[in-house]
Amino acid sequence: MFPVTTKRALGPVRRAGFALVFCISGALAFARYIPTNRDTKLPPVPVIYAPVEQDDRYSFLGAAGPLEFSYREDRDVLLIRDARGYAWKTGLDIPFNADIDRAVAQARTEAEKIAAAIPQEDRLNAVYTALANSLLTVELYDDAFNLQLISSASRQGVSSRLAFIEENHYRLDVDFEAQDLRVKVHLFLTDQGVTFRVYDAEIEGAGAAKMASIILSPFLGASGGAIRVYDPAAGQYGAPEAKPAPDGYVFVPDGAGALIRFKNNGAAPQKYSGAVYGVNPAEALYYYNNNVYAVSKKEPLMPVFGIAHGENQAAFAAWADDGAEHLEIIVSPEGNMTHYTFAYPRFVYNRQIHQVYNRKGEGYFRLYPERLHFDIAMTYRFLNGNDDAFSADYVGMARAYRKHLIARGILRENRVSADGKMPLRVDFMMSDIKKSVIGMTDVVLTTADEAGAMLDDLIESGVLLNAGLLGFQKGGVTGGKPWTLDFTSGTGSAWSFQNLIERMCARGVDVSFSQDYARINKIQMPLARNQAYHLNHWGIRAAVSEESFTPVQEISYARPAKSAEWLELQAEKARKIGAATMSVAGISNLLLSHWGDNPLNREDAARLYGETLERLGMGINAEAPNEYLWKYVDRFLQTPVLNTQYIIETDTAPFLQLVLAGTMELYSPYANFSFYTQEDILRMIDYNVYPSFVISAGPAYLLQDTNSLTYYSTEYRLYRDIIRAVYKTVSEALAPVKGREWIDRRVLENGVILNVYDNDMEILINYTDDPYAYGGVTVAGKQAVVIGGRSK
């Protein structure tokens, strides 16, 4: 372990919100730190740009605050210009190469030919040129289930017209004539940006039944490109040449947050695709999932992405207020189909599914019986780097999005007390089941009395904490009923648990029952009347183990209505024995629909879960909850601190933590599963997340024949000292900023991070091996220093 030292900054105290950081390196040697995609690297290089003047090819639509809006009718391009003259376009605003070739061929003189032979885009055919220009693109299935991209700026078979509705409200009417599909996109122009709305009732025509998705302004903020220039001497176009392009990145909400730099140093040009709120098993291609050992990717918990140009110069954050349950965030890097890096929202209305017609699993592929019905609201909030509140980078994106969520009531400020006391989370692995000669038998690792003794020991050592109980009842983690509290003598009687909860409450420790309300198996209950059904009307199932010795090899997912019912029933029983909070898993981040009896779509399921949590009237500890539940959550458990680590993801950044800081307590993944190294502890401090451990009285090897065998190291005696040391180290850094607003995060050097809070407190984190000097304070390698601060 390593210390965190608290020091006053030398000289005048810096005030929160200042624009410049003065780094004093002195005579200290700073060895080169090689960052990986787990780090946040230095900012992009500044963009050099000339202010964009009004273009006669664009029609002026209106102004709102510092923004002016214009529209180019022949290419469906919306231009947004700020007070500095920096311009954003919803499309590339480029001609079709075929039109250029035709003009060249029709030229009568060499001079006319040279004038007509303007540079051509490389690797942009007619389909992608239309996509690159358009504000609206739809994907449609043909009879062979191939996807066709058709854009509002297509050269043939599509007509579009921008209609004035009222001041700063326009509507783009697009008629995809060949496909018998008509879509209207509403444009609402504001002093912060633009909101696009598509109303389901305004999607018309027989072609809507085969519409797979709607894509909005896919090339807004795109960077890169290559052109071929005409060579008069050779009479033809030359080799591709790279276009001047801004340095910058795309932000995606993968895990804690990921940046995809425009220049990714030759990484494999794979696309990023994130399904907001996760893939819906009830609407997937198959009704079953047999991928037991596949590494699960992190799916976005929130419907937001963004693009930044330069170093704190120009950026936007884009978020969905409607349609988020069906949103995919797509990033296509340079080298994938085109020479551009571009990002866009894709709203999915239809997919292929496998329709099974017998118990052998035989079937055929088809589209959904009926396309999905929902509205879209997609907002682009522009940041210019001069705002007094938001910088033009991922930090500014996070803070702008946070403000938006607070205004909508999804987040509530000041829910975390600024009391200078940092808590730690411990979950107790109490029991699970294993196969026996006849049926199943409970494997008990921790009793209620033993949990109380371990909590007493931690309290006496000065640890402030809260606790969850895993596998607390008969059947343990795998076989426990999610609607009741069926205590046994193995883990403890009802009186034992009531005594534990009440005694710990008197000592300031909240103890809660932890339950997964979404994943179910046939040991727990009959599946037919409890499981959710796929669109093909078969019960959803997923493999969880290929080991014959484990009690369960296959699970299903509960109908959302059942999950909500069980949570209320179990919470009521928990309340009667003194529990003040519930620890909720499964439904916190698994959002699925149900297409059997009494069907429920994804939007209604999200609403049902939220209303259920609100009715409980209890505190909620939720495991990695999706955004629609945040207003009800007090403790965010298993907070992601990395991303999926795709090759194209160049940086990791704590976007999620910046959004949530101060609105709920954030707890790390279990630290005893190899997350307690010096770098891991620095990451907790950097990302403002509190430590979390899962522990037991007995040894973890007792779980080797259970479905909880992945809890491979939990014995308290092995972690007692580690818990105390990690708590002391992280608490010294984060307790002073508990409940404070996190207003900035800067990369001073690769591996050196400065976090700024609103009480004039700064935390300097040094991931490198060498000392670093800043503002008269030196932080040693692999350490963190708390600087400044004031009381309020």
Side-chain angles (χ1 to χ4, degrees), residues 33-61:
Y33 176 81
I34 308 298
T36 70
N37 64 354
R38 295 188 173 209
D39 295 291
T40 310
K41 301 180 178 69
L42 287 166
V45 300
V47 173
I48 300 174
Y49 68 94
V52 173
E53 302 298 333
Q54 183 63 39
D55 190 329
D56 291 340
R57 294 169 299 179
Y58 283 77
S59 301
F60 181 73
L61 300 184

Side-chain angles (χ1 to χ4, degrees), residues 222-489:
S223 177
I227 56 173
R228 292 180 294 115
V229 177
Y230 185 75
D231 181 355
Q236 61 184 14
Y237 281 88
E241 303 173 8
K243 295 172 65 175
D247 194 14
Y249 53 77
V250 180
F251 153 74
V252 292
D254 180 8
L259 307 183
I260 300 172
R261 303 265 176 165
F262 295 156
K263 306 295 184 184
N264 62 11
N265 299 319
Q270 63 188 52
K271 279 188 178 182
Y272 167 82
S273 176
V276 172
Y277 306 148
V279 174
N280 183 358
E283 297 168 7
L285 179 61
Y286 298 102
Y287 74 95
Y288 56 85
N289 181 356
N290 290 335
N291 295 323
V292 176
Y293 297 117
V295 177
S296 59
K297 57 181 286 194
K298 294 176 173 63
E299 298 288 7
L301 304 177
M302 49 190 163
V304 60
F305 71 98
I307 290 180
H309 289 177
E311 181 180 3
N312 191 26
Q313 292 175 280
F316 68 75
W319 55 73
D321 285 333
D322 292 329
E325 296 84 359
H326 309 284
L327 171 62
E328 293 179 349
I329 297 169
I330 310 295
V331 182
S332 181
E334 183 177 339
N336 183 289
M337 300 296 293
T338 77
H339 291 293
Y340 289 92
T341 296
F342 59 101
Y344 57 90
R346 180 178 186 260
F347 294 90
V348 178
Y349 285 84
N350 212 332
R351 294 184 194 274
Q352 282 190 74
I353 58 171
H354 187 238
Q355 182 62 58
V356 176
Y357 54 72
N358 63 28
R359 294 188 178 276
K360 294 180 181 180
E362 296 172 332
Y364 59 93
F365 293 100
R366 57 170 295 181
L367 299 182
Y368 291 170
E370 181 180 347
R371 74 165 178 87
L372 302 177
H373 294 273
F374 58 91
D375 296 337
I376 294 172
M378 193 76 203
T379 295
Y380 290 77
R381 200 318 187 170
F382 295 98
L383 310 169
N384 62 28
N386 295 321
D387 289 350
D388 58 355
F390 308 128
S391 53
D393 56 13
Y394 71 89
V395 176
M397 297 176 200
R399 299 192 69 223
Y401 190 50
R402 170 193 173 91
K403 182 178 180 180
H404 173 70
L405 295 181
I406 290 170
R408 291 187 64 206
I410 294 173
L411 290 180
R412 289 177 285 167
E413 292 184 286
N414 305 318
R415 294 184 66 201
V416 177
S417 173
D419 56 10
K421 300 176 182 178
M422 188 206 80
L424 174 143
R425 173 80 177 186
V426 292
D427 286 338
F428 291 100
M429 172 53 70
M430 303 196 78
S431 72
D432 207 347
I433 53 174
K434 69 176 181 179
K435 290 181 178 179
S436 65
V437 177
I438 301 176
M440 304 290 168
T441 186
D442 287 339
V443 177
V444 177
L445 271 70
T446 309
T447 67
D449 291 343
E450 288 170 333
M454 286 182 274
L455 288 172
D456 285 331
D457 185 53
L458 289 170
I459 294 168
E460 295 302 325
S461 64
V463 178
L464 177 69
L465 72 164
N466 57 80
L469 307 174
L470 304 169
F472 52 86
Q473 61 178 319
K474 182 180 179 180
V477 172
T478 301
K481 306 294 190 291
W483 58 83
T484 190
L485 302 179
D486 188 8
F487 300 118
T488 70
S489 58

